[in-house]
C-alpha cells in the first residue's frame, strides 16, 4: 500500500485553501469575466431531470462551491443577484431548479402552488441537492473542466424561501416526524427568508445546526400566502441556532421578493407579486447589502478569511433600522 504522509496532506490542503482565499480576496473581477452555463442534469436513479445554471469564475481555480435553491414557483434563474456576486468573487455557483415546486407549478395557479409547499417536495429538493453533490464529485473524478477546479471540501448551501427551508433541512433542522435530512458535505449555509414554526420551539428545531449559518430577512418579509406580515418569525431562526457560528441580517423595508435575488425588479402587482413600495424604493440598496455581506460570509466560512468579514461588515453600509447580529 502507498505511504500517506499526513504532513504533506496538510500542506496540500492549506495550499488549496490559500489559493481559494486569494481568489475570493480579489475585488477586480467583473461580470464579463464569468461564464454562465445552462444545462440539464439527469438523475437516473429517480428518473428526474434537473435544469441547472452554472456560474464559472473567470479567475484561476481552485474555487469554493455554493449550491443555490430557488423559492416556491421559481427556477434556476432565481438568486441571480447573489450568484453573480459570488461568482465574481471566485465561487463556482450551481443554481438548481426543482421540478414539482418550480415555475411550472406557479403557472398552474394559487391552489397548485399552495399544494406544492409540502413535505414530499421538500424531500425531493433535498434529494436533488444530494444528487448535485454526487454528480459534481463524479464529474471531478472524470477530470472535466470546470469541475476539476472545484474545492469539494469547501461547499456552501444557500436558498430563498422554500429554498431556505431546503437549506435549513440540509443544515440539520429537526422535524417532528421525518428522519434527519442533514447533509455533512456542506461547510456553511445562507438562508434568505428562513422559516420557523410557532408550534415548535426554535431551540428544539434548530439546536442541532452545528455549522455556520447566516439568516437573512427584513421588516416586510411576510408570508406570500398571508399567514404573517413581517419577518419577525423568520428572524427567530437565529434565536434557535446554537451560539458561536450564527449570524442574522435584518433589513428595514425589505419584503419577501427583496431576497429572491432577481436582478430585474418585479413590478408591483397583486397576490404573490404584490410589493411593498418601500421595498421597491430600496431594492437596489438591499441587493447591494445582501450581495456584499453574503460574499464576505463565504470568504470567511469557505476560505477562512475572518479578517475580511470583520473589516467588511464594519463598512457594509447598514442604515437606520437595519441590523447585523452575531452570536
Amino acid at each position: 500500500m502507498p505511504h500517506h504522509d499526513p504532513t504533506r496532506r496538510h500542506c496540500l490542503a492549506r495550499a488549496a485553501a490559500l489559493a481559494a482565499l486569494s481568489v475570493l480576496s480579489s475585488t477586480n473581477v467583473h461580470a464579463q469575466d464569468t461564464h454562465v452555463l445552462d444545462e440539464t442534469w439527469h438523475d437516473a436513479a429517480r428518473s428526474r431531470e434537473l435544469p441547472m445554471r452554472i456560474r464559472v469564475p473567470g479567475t484561476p481555480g481552485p474555487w469554493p462551491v455554493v449550491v443555490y435553491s430557488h423559492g416556491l414557483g421559481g427556477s434556476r434563474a432565481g438568486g441571480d443577484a447573489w450568484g453573480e456576486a459570488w461568482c465574481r468573487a471566485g465561487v463556482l455557483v450551481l443554481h438548481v431548479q426543482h421540478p414539482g415546486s418550480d415555475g411550472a407549478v406557479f403557472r398552474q395557479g394559487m391552489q397548485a402552488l399552495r399544494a406544492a409547499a409540502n413535505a414530499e417536495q421538500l424531500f425531493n429538493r433535498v434529494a436533488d441537492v444530494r444528487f448535485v453533490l454526487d454528480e459534481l464529485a463524479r464529474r471531478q473524478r472524470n477530470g472535466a473542466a470546470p469541475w476539476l477546479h472545484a474545492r469539494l471540501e469547501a461547499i456552501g448551501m444557500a436558498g430563498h424561501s422554500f429554498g431556505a427551508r431546503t437549506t435549513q433541512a440540509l443544515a440539520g433542522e429537526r422535524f417532528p416526524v421525518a428522519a434527519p435530512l442533514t447533509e455533512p458535505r456542506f461547510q456553511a449555509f445562507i438562508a434568505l427568508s428562513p422559516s420557523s414554526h410557532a408550534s415548535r420551539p426554535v431551540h428544539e428545531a434548530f439546536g442541532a445546526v452545528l455549522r455556520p449559518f447566516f439568516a437573512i430577512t427584513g421588516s416586510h418579509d411576510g408570508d406570500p400566502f398571508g399567514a404573517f406580515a413581517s419577518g419577525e418569525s423568520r428572524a427567530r431562526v437565529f434565536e434557535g441556532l446554537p451560539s458561536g457560528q450564527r449570524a442574522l441580517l435584518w433589513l428595514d423595508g425589505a419584503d419577501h421578493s427583496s431576497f429572491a435575488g432577481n436582478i430585474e425588479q418585479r413590478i408591483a402587482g397583486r397576490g404573490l407579486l404584490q410589493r411593498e413600495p418601500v421595498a421597491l424604493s430600496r431594492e437596489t440598496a438591499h441587493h447591494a447589502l445582501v450581495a456584499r455581506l453574503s460574499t464576505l460570509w463565504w470568504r470567511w466560512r469557505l476560505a477562512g478569511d475572518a479578517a475580511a468579514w470583520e473589516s467588511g461588515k464594519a463598512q457594509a453600509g447598514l442604515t437606520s433600522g437595519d441590523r447585523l447580529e452575531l452570536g
Side-chain angles (χ1 to χ4, degrees), residues 247-264:
L248 169 69
L249 175 63
W250 174 275
L251 295 182
D252 185 52
D255 66 9
H256 196 60
S257 291
S258 300
F259 302 109
N262 298 318
I263 292 177
E264 293 186 3

Side-chain angles (χ1 to χ4, degrees), residues 26-40:
S26 172
T27 58
N28 297 317
V29 182
H30 301 292
Q32 60 264 32
D33 295 325
T34 67
H35 189 44
V36 178
L37 306 170
D38 282 347
E39 300 180 352
T40 299

Side-chain angles (χ1 to χ4, degrees), residues 122 164-176 178-182 195-197 200 202 204-211 213 237 241:
L122 176 62
R165 170 45 59 84
T166 306
T167 300
Q168 293 167 206
L170 292 161
E173 179 183 359
R174 295 189 183 105
F175 295 91
L181 300 176
T182 308
S195 298
S196 67
H197 291 281
R200 245 189 320 154
V202 289
E204 176 184 312
F206 300 103
V209 177
L210 303 178
R211 287 163 288 177
F213 194 102
V237 171
L241 296 167

Side-chain angles (χ1 to χ4, degrees), residues 9-100:
R9 287 201 307 270
H10 174 75
C11 290
L12 289 174
R14 180 174 174 78
L18 289 173
L21 178 58
S22 68
V23 170
L24 281 169
S25 298
S26 172
T27 58
N28 297 317
V29 182
H30 301 292
Q32 60 264 32
D33 295 325
T34 67
H35 189 44
V36 178
L37 306 170
D38 282 347
E39 300 180 352
T40 299
W41 290 9
H42 177 65
D43 183 351
R46 297 187 297 149
S47 299
R48 188 168 168 88
E49 303 290 329
L50 296 181
M52 301 284 297
R53 175 157 294 172
I54 302 149
R55 297 181 185 273
V56 183
T59 52
W63 310 300
V65 180
V66 170
V67 179
Y68 186 86
S69 175
H70 62 78
L72 183 65
S75 72
R76 63 186 173 187
D80 54 1
W82 329 133
E84 180 180 297
W86 301 339
C87 188
R88 284 194 313 219
V91 177
L92 179 65
V93 185
L94 309 179
H95 300 256
V96 188
Q97 183 168 325
H98 304 283

Side-chain angles (χ1 to χ4, degrees), residues 250-299:
W250 174 275
L251 295 182
D252 185 52
D255 66 9
H256 196 60
S257 291
S258 300
F259 302 109
N262 298 318
I263 292 177
E264 293 186 3
Q265 297 179 2
R266 290 184 178 180
I267 62 171
R270 296 181 177 180
L272 294 180
L273 295 181
Q274 187 171 354
R275 300 295 306 277
E276 293 288 340
V278 65
L280 284 168
S281 68
R282 299 182 186 177
E283 181 110 288
T284 300
H286 286 157
H287 275 193
L289 266 169
V290 172
R292 186 178 307 120
L293 286 168
S294 60
T295 300
L296 289 170
W297 178 261
W298 296 135
R299 285 179 62 175

